[in-house]
Amino acid sequence: MFPEQHKVTAQIGHLFTVAQRSECQIRPHFFLTGPTGSGKSYLVNQVAEEMQIPFFEINAAQLTAEGLSGNSLSKAMRPLRQHWNQPNIIFVDEFDKLFQRNGENAESFRSDVQDEFLRVLESRYASIFTEYGKYEPVRVDNTIFVFAGAFSDQKIHTLDDLKDAGIRNEFVGRVPLVFWTEKVHLDSMLAALPHLRLLDSYLKITPNVVRAKAIREISVILRGEAQTSTIGVRLMNSVVHRYFMKDL
């Protein structure tokens, strides 16, 4: 984990522990906000992995209202069927994008999707639309939802901030916690680079590359691009991919 995120990592770990110990009688759903590329998905995934809790992502920007063509919530939650009786973490990425659509149907769309999430949050079972064209029930009362978004890099620290962004009172009432991820600085990325899983994966399949030399050269590229990059910690993976493609 990056040092900028030690506090929020501990807070999220505590919430997941509470859910486990209470056998999901307590399910602290929460919002996770912070600048683009501050590692929100990575952070939650790492905590879930360490605690051996199944984790999967839903991209809210790709959701459509139920009954329309596309990826509705009932389709996006299909992975829950693989872990019926286990606690689960559903990370709803780009949740803020639901409230940034333009056009005359935007308000209706926002309201419909919030209603669908509300029904899931309040239910013991949800209907999953299977690949066979049928709806089947799946447990959701052992699931914690994390609603994440950058909100155009605005500082969203409170529930009132979320309401100002277009999230309804009923929704905020059922997801009553907000956490913020800080921007990750260059020094933290450089320190994390030698431990990057993607780097290790590349080195395993390219034995002719000297690890120390690769880290030095990737660090130079990272330093050169970090000041102008707008993708945050994603820049690390981007630079590593490009480094190992440079001779192609």
mmCIF file of all heavy atoms in Angstrom, residues 95-122:
data_model
loop_
_atom_site.group_PDB
_atom_site.id
_atom_site.type_symbol
_atom_site.label_atom_id
_atom_site.label_comp_id
_atom_site.label_asym_id
_atom_site.label_seq_id
_atom_site.Cartn_x
_atom_site.Cartn_y
_atom_site.Cartn_z
ATOM 1 N N PHE A 95 -18.868 5.377 -9.994
ATOM 2 C CA PHE A 95 -20.250 5.617 -9.589
ATOM 3 C C PHE A 95 -20.672 7.048 -9.898
ATOM 4 O O PHE A 95 -21.839 7.312 -10.214
ATOM 5 C CB PHE A 95 -20.395 5.322 -8.093
ATOM 6 C CG PHE A 95 -21.803 5.391 -7.585
ATOM 7 C CD1 PHE A 95 -22.748 4.454 -7.976
ATOM 8 C CD2 PHE A 95 -22.196 6.392 -6.709
ATOM 9 C CE1 PHE A 95 -24.056 4.516 -7.514
ATOM 10 C CE2 PHE A 95 -23.492 6.457 -6.235
ATOM 11 C CZ PHE A 95 -24.431 5.515 -6.637
ATOM 12 N N ASP A 96 -19.745 7.979 -9.805
ATOM 13 C CA ASP A 96 -20.065 9.384 -10.071
ATOM 14 C C ASP A 96 -20.504 9.623 -11.508
ATOM 15 O O ASP A 96 -21.228 10.585 -11.784
ATOM 16 C CB ASP A 96 -18.857 10.265 -9.747
ATOM 17 C CG ASP A 96 -17.592 9.823 -10.475
ATOM 18 O OD1 ASP A 96 -17.305 8.610 -10.495
ATOM 19 O OD2 ASP A 96 -16.888 10.695 -11.028
ATOM 20 N N LYS A 97 -20.089 8.743 -12.423
ATOM 21 C CA LYS A 97 -20.455 8.934 -13.830
ATOM 22 C C LYS A 97 -21.967 8.819 -14.043
ATOM 23 O O LYS A 97 -22.500 9.329 -15.022
ATOM 24 C CB LYS A 97 -19.737 7.914 -14.717
ATOM 25 C CG LYS A 97 -18.217 8.045 -14.723
ATOM 26 C CD LYS A 97 -17.762 9.361 -15.302
ATOM 27 C CE LYS A 97 -16.266 9.376 -15.615
ATOM 28 N NZ LYS A 97 -15.415 9.190 -14.457
ATOM 29 N N LEU A 98 -22.643 8.125 -13.146
ATOM 30 C CA LEU A 98 -24.096 8.020 -13.260
ATOM 31 C C LEU A 98 -24.777 9.377 -13.144
ATOM 32 O O LEU A 98 -25.896 9.559 -13.605
ATOM 33 C CB LEU A 98 -24.654 7.106 -12.162
ATOM 34 C CG LEU A 98 -24.325 5.629 -12.239
ATOM 35 C CD1 LEU A 98 -24.895 4.909 -11.035
ATOM 36 C CD2 LEU A 98 -24.887 5.020 -13.512
ATOM 37 N N PHE A 99 -24.085 10.323 -12.510
ATOM 38 C CA PHE A 99 -24.710 11.616 -12.242
ATOM 39 C C PHE A 99 -24.135 12.725 -13.110
ATOM 40 O O PHE A 99 -24.328 13.894 -12.841
ATOM 41 C CB PHE A 99 -24.530 11.951 -10.754
ATOM 42 C CG PHE A 99 -24.916 10.804 -9.883
ATOM 43 C CD1 PHE A 99 -23.954 9.967 -9.345
ATOM 44 C CD2 PHE A 99 -26.244 10.511 -9.656
ATOM 45 C CE1 PHE A 99 -24.312 8.870 -8.580
ATOM 46 C CE2 PHE A 99 -26.601 9.420 -8.896
ATOM 47 C CZ PHE A 99 -25.654 8.599 -8.366
ATOM 48 N N GLN A 100 -23.443 12.327 -14.183
ATOM 49 C CA GLN A 100 -22.836 13.317 -15.063
ATOM 50 C C GLN A 100 -23.310 13.147 -16.499
ATOM 51 O O GLN A 100 -22.667 13.597 -17.431
ATOM 52 C CB GLN A 100 -21.306 13.202 -14.991
ATOM 53 C CG GLN A 100 -20.767 13.535 -13.613
ATOM 54 C CD GLN A 100 -19.285 13.260 -13.474
ATOM 55 O OE1 GLN A 100 -18.630 12.833 -14.422
ATOM 56 N NE2 GLN A 100 -18.749 13.488 -12.299
ATOM 57 N N ARG A 101 -24.446 12.465 -16.676
ATOM 58 C CA ARG A 101 -24.987 12.296 -18.026
ATOM 59 C C ARG A 101 -25.792 13.523 -18.406
ATOM 60 O O ARG A 101 -26.450 14.136 -17.577
ATOM 61 C CB ARG A 101 -25.882 11.053 -18.088
ATOM 62 C CG ARG A 101 -25.087 9.762 -17.908
ATOM 63 C CD ARG A 101 -26.009 8.572 -17.971
ATOM 64 N NE ARG A 101 -25.203 7.345 -17.915
ATOM 65 C CZ ARG A 101 -25.318 6.351 -18.759
ATOM 66 N NH1 ARG A 101 -26.185 6.397 -19.743
ATOM 67 N NH2 ARG A 101 -24.566 5.272 -18.652
ATOM 68 N N ASN A 102 -25.762 13.846 -19.682
ATOM 69 C CA ASN A 102 -26.519 14.992 -20.185
ATOM 70 C C ASN A 102 -27.689 14.496 -21.030
ATOM 71 O O ASN A 102 -27.690 13.380 -21.525
ATOM 72 C CB ASN A 102 -25.614 15.891 -21.031
ATOM 73 C CG ASN A 102 -24.479 16.488 -20.211
ATOM 74 O OD1 ASN A 102 -24.710 16.950 -19.110
ATOM 75 N ND2 ASN A 102 -23.270 16.452 -20.745
ATOM 76 N N GLY A 103 -28.670 15.366 -21.192
ATOM 77 C CA GLY A 103 -29.803 15.008 -22.024
ATOM 78 C C GLY A 103 -31.087 14.966 -21.218
ATOM 79 O O GLY A 103 -31.091 14.943 -19.989
ATOM 80 N N GLU A 104 -32.213 14.932 -21.925
ATOM 81 C CA GLU A 104 -33.506 15.053 -21.264
ATOM 82 C C GLU A 104 -33.855 13.841 -20.416
ATOM 83 O O GLU A 104 -34.672 13.933 -19.500
ATOM 84 C CB GLU A 104 -34.596 15.282 -22.310
ATOM 85 C CG GLU A 104 -34.721 14.153 -23.330
ATOM 86 C CD GLU A 104 -35.790 14.460 -24.376
ATOM 87 O OE1 GLU A 104 -36.124 15.641 -24.541
ATOM 88 O OE2 GLU A 104 -36.276 13.508 -24.984
ATOM 89 N N ASN A 105 -33.250 12.677 -20.694
ATOM 90 C CA ASN A 105 -33.559 11.479 -19.912
ATOM 91 C C ASN A 105 -32.569 11.243 -18.779
ATOM 92 O O ASN A 105 -32.628 10.213 -18.109
ATOM 93 C CB ASN A 105 -33.558 10.248 -20.833
ATOM 94 C CG ASN A 105 -34.686 10.304 -21.849
ATOM 95 O OD1 ASN A 105 -35.785 10.739 -21.543
ATOM 96 N ND2 ASN A 105 -34.390 9.883 -23.070
ATOM 97 N N ALA A 106 -31.664 12.194 -18.547
ATOM 98 C CA ALA A 106 -30.616 11.985 -17.553
ATOM 99 C C ALA A 106 -31.187 11.825 -16.155
ATOM 100 O O ALA A 106 -30.798 10.920 -15.414
ATOM 101 C CB ALA A 106 -29.619 13.149 -17.580
ATOM 102 N N GLU A 107 -32.128 12.701 -15.776
ATOM 103 C CA GLU A 107 -32.682 12.626 -14.425
ATOM 104 C C GLU A 107 -33.402 11.314 -14.195
ATOM 105 O O GLU A 107 -33.278 10.691 -13.137
ATOM 106 C CB GLU A 107 -33.640 13.804 -14.176
ATOM 107 C CG GLU A 107 -32.946 15.140 -13.989
ATOM 108 C CD GLU A 107 -32.006 15.149 -12.790
ATOM 109 O OE1 GLU A 107 -32.324 14.491 -11.779
ATOM 110 O OE2 GLU A 107 -30.955 15.796 -12.870
ATOM 111 N N SER A 108 -34.166 10.866 -15.182
ATOM 112 C CA SER A 108 -34.871 9.598 -15.065
ATOM 113 C C SER A 108 -33.895 8.445 -14.937
ATOM 114 O O SER A 108 -34.085 7.532 -14.125
ATOM 115 C CB SER A 108 -35.768 9.390 -16.290
ATOM 116 O OG SER A 108 -36.368 8.114 -16.253
ATOM 117 N N PHE A 109 -32.833 8.489 -15.731
ATOM 118 C CA PHE A 109 -31.831 7.424 -15.678
ATOM 119 C C PHE A 109 -31.191 7.363 -14.299
ATOM 120 O O PHE A 109 -31.051 6.305 -13.706
ATOM 121 C CB PHE A 109 -30.761 7.664 -16.744
ATOM 122 C CG PHE A 109 -29.609 6.698 -16.653
ATOM 123 C CD1 PHE A 109 -29.709 5.438 -17.214
ATOM 124 C CD2 PHE A 109 -28.450 7.036 -15.969
ATOM 125 C CE1 PHE A 109 -28.654 4.529 -17.115
ATOM 126 C CE2 PHE A 109 -27.394 6.143 -15.864
ATOM 127 C CZ PHE A 109 -27.511 4.889 -16.443
ATOM 128 N N ARG A 110 -30.764 8.514 -13.773
ATOM 129 C CA ARG A 110 -30.131 8.558 -12.457
ATOM 130 C C ARG A 110 -31.050 7.964 -11.408
ATOM 131 O O ARG A 110 -30.645 7.179 -10.557
ATOM 132 C CB ARG A 110 -29.798 10.006 -12.085
ATOM 133 C CG ARG A 110 -28.763 10.679 -12.946
ATOM 134 C CD ARG A 110 -28.414 12.052 -12.368
ATOM 135 N NE ARG A 110 -27.585 12.819 -13.286
ATOM 136 C CZ ARG A 110 -28.025 13.866 -13.973
ATOM 137 N NH1 ARG A 110 -29.260 14.274 -13.848
ATOM 138 N NH2 ARG A 110 -27.207 14.517 -14.775
ATOM 139 N N SER A 111 -32.296 8.363 -11.453
ATOM 140 C CA SER A 111 -33.248 7.892 -10.459
ATOM 141 C C SER A 111 -33.483 6.392 -10.574
ATOM 142 O O SER A 111 -33.533 5.678 -9.572
ATOM 143 C CB SER A 111 -34.576 8.645 -10.620
ATOM 144 O OG SER A 111 -35.486 8.289 -9.611
ATOM 145 N N ASP A 112 -33.614 5.885 -11.800
ATOM 146 C CA ASP A 112 -33.865 4.453 -12.017
ATOM 147 C C ASP A 112 -32.720 3.613 -11.482
ATOM 148 O O ASP A 112 -32.945 2.605 -10.801
ATOM 149 C CB ASP A 112 -34.041 4.168 -13.520
ATOM 150 C CG ASP A 112 -35.364 4.699 -14.063
ATOM 151 O OD1 ASP A 112 -36.235 5.047 -13.242
ATOM 152 O OD2 ASP A 112 -35.501 4.768 -15.296
ATOM 153 N N VAL A 113 -31.489 4.003 -11.781
ATOM 154 C CA VAL A 113 -30.345 3.199 -11.350
ATOM 155 C C VAL A 113 -30.180 3.268 -9.838
ATOM 156 O O VAL A 113 -29.868 2.268 -9.195
ATOM 157 C CB VAL A 113 -29.058 3.634 -12.084
ATOM 158 C CG1 VAL A 113 -27.850 2.879 -11.549
ATOM 159 C CG2 VAL A 113 -29.203 3.369 -13.585
ATOM 160 N N GLN A 114 -30.407 4.445 -9.246
ATOM 161 C CA GLN A 114 -30.354 4.525 -7.786
ATOM 162 C C GLN A 114 -31.414 3.630 -7.160
ATOM 163 O O GLN A 114 -31.153 2.958 -6.153
ATOM 164 C CB GLN A 114 -30.536 5.969 -7.323
ATOM 165 C CG GLN A 114 -29.311 6.836 -7.561
ATOM 166 C CD GLN A 114 -29.452 8.202 -6.908
ATOM 167 O OE1 GLN A 114 -29.434 8.325 -5.686
ATOM 168 N NE2 GLN A 114 -29.577 9.236 -7.724
ATOM 169 N N ASP A 115 -32.613 3.596 -7.743
ATOM 170 C CA ASP A 115 -33.674 2.717 -7.240
ATOM 171 C C ASP A 115 -33.244 1.257 -7.284
ATOM 172 O O ASP A 115 -33.524 0.486 -6.350
ATOM 173 C CB ASP A 115 -34.958 2.898 -8.053
ATOM 174 C CG ASP A 115 -35.725 4.150 -7.664
ATOM 175 O OD1 ASP A 115 -35.463 4.677 -6.568
ATOM 176 O OD2 ASP A 115 -36.574 4.590 -8.455
ATOM 177 N N GLU A 116 -32.576 0.861 -8.361
ATOM 178 C CA GLU A 116 -32.145 -0.533 -8.491
ATOM 179 C C GLU A 116 -31.100 -0.888 -7.438
ATOM 180 O O GLU A 116 -31.155 -1.964 -6.824
ATOM 181 C CB GLU A 116 -31.612 -0.774 -9.912
ATOM 182 C CG GLU A 116 -32.722 -0.767 -10.955
ATOM 183 C CD GLU A 116 -32.217 -0.609 -12.373
ATOM 184 O OE1 GLU A 116 -31.004 -0.828 -12.592
ATOM 185 O OE2 GLU A 116 -33.015 -0.253 -13.261
ATOM 186 N N PHE A 117 -30.157 0.011 -7.203
ATOM 187 C CA PHE A 117 -29.179 -0.233 -6.142
ATOM 188 C C PHE A 117 -29.862 -0.259 -4.774
ATOM 189 O O PHE A 117 -29.522 -1.084 -3.922
ATOM 190 C CB PHE A 117 -28.080 0.828 -6.163
ATOM 191 C CG PHE A 117 -26.935 0.507 -7.069
ATOM 192 C CD1 PHE A 117 -26.697 1.250 -8.212
ATOM 193 C CD2 PHE A 117 -26.076 -0.543 -6.786
ATOM 194 C CE1 PHE A 117 -25.633 0.963 -9.052
ATOM 195 C CE2 PHE A 117 -24.997 -0.849 -7.615
ATOM 196 C CZ PHE A 117 -24.786 -0.092 -8.749
ATOM 197 N N LEU A 118 -30.812 0.638 -4.556
ATOM 198 C CA LEU A 118 -31.516 0.671 -3.273
ATOM 199 C C LEU A 118 -32.234 -0.639 -2.998
ATOM 200 O O LEU A 118 -32.204 -1.156 -1.871
ATOM 201 C CB LEU A 118 -32.526 1.826 -3.251
ATOM 202 C CG LEU A 118 -31.966 3.205 -2.941
ATOM 203 C CD1 LEU A 118 -33.031 4.279 -3.134
ATOM 204 C CD2 LEU A 118 -31.437 3.267 -1.513
ATOM 205 N N ARG A 119 -32.878 -1.194 -4.023
ATOM 206 C CA ARG A 119 -33.586 -2.469 -3.833
ATOM 207 C C ARG A 119 -32.614 -3.573 -3.425
ATOM 208 O O ARG A 119 -32.911 -4.402 -2.563
ATOM 209 C CB ARG A 119 -34.331 -2.850 -5.117
ATOM 210 C CG ARG A 119 -35.636 -2.106 -5.298
ATOM 211 C CD ARG A 119 -36.481 -2.733 -6.387
ATOM 212 N NE ARG A 119 -35.931 -2.479 -7.712
ATOM 213 C CZ ARG A 119 -36.232 -1.408 -8.439
ATOM 214 N NH1 ARG A 119 -37.040 -0.471 -7.967
ATOM 215 N NH2 ARG A 119 -35.708 -1.255 -9.648
ATOM 216 N N VAL A 120 -31.439 -3.567 -4.044
ATOM 217 C CA VAL A 120 -30.432 -4.578 -3.704
ATOM 218 C C VAL A 120 -29.926 -4.369 -2.275
ATOM 219 O O VAL A 120 -29.779 -5.319 -1.505
ATOM 220 C CB VAL A 120 -29.269 -4.533 -4.709
ATOM 221 C CG1 VAL A 120 -28.127 -5.425 -4.251
ATOM 222 C CG2 VAL A 120 -29.748 -4.972 -6.089
ATOM 223 N N LEU A 121 -29.662 -3.113 -1.909
ATOM 224 C CA LEU A 121 -29.152 -2.819 -0.575
ATOM 225 C C LEU A 121 -30.125 -3.214 0.520
ATOM 226 O O LEU A 121 -29.716 -3.539 1.642
ATOM 227 C CB LEU A 121 -28.824 -1.323 -0.452
ATOM 228 C CG LEU A 121 -27.639 -0.806 -1.268
ATOM 229 C CD1 LEU A 121 -27.601 0.719 -1.229
ATOM 230 C CD2 LEU A 121 -26.331 -1.369 -0.739
ATOM 231 N N GLU A 122 -31.404 -3.209 0.215
ATOM 232 C CA GLU A 122 -32.439 -3.474 1.217
ATOM 233 C C GLU A 122 -32.915 -4.918 1.227
ATOM 234 O O GLU A 122 -33.708 -5.308 2.086
ATOM 235 C CB GLU A 122 -33.649 -2.564 0.959
ATOM 236 C CG GLU A 122 -33.347 -1.086 1.148
ATOM 237 C CD GLU A 122 -34.489 -0.207 0.666
ATOM 238 O OE1 GLU A 122 -35.362 -0.719 -0.075
ATOM 239 O OE2 GLU A 122 -34.501 0.983 1.018
#
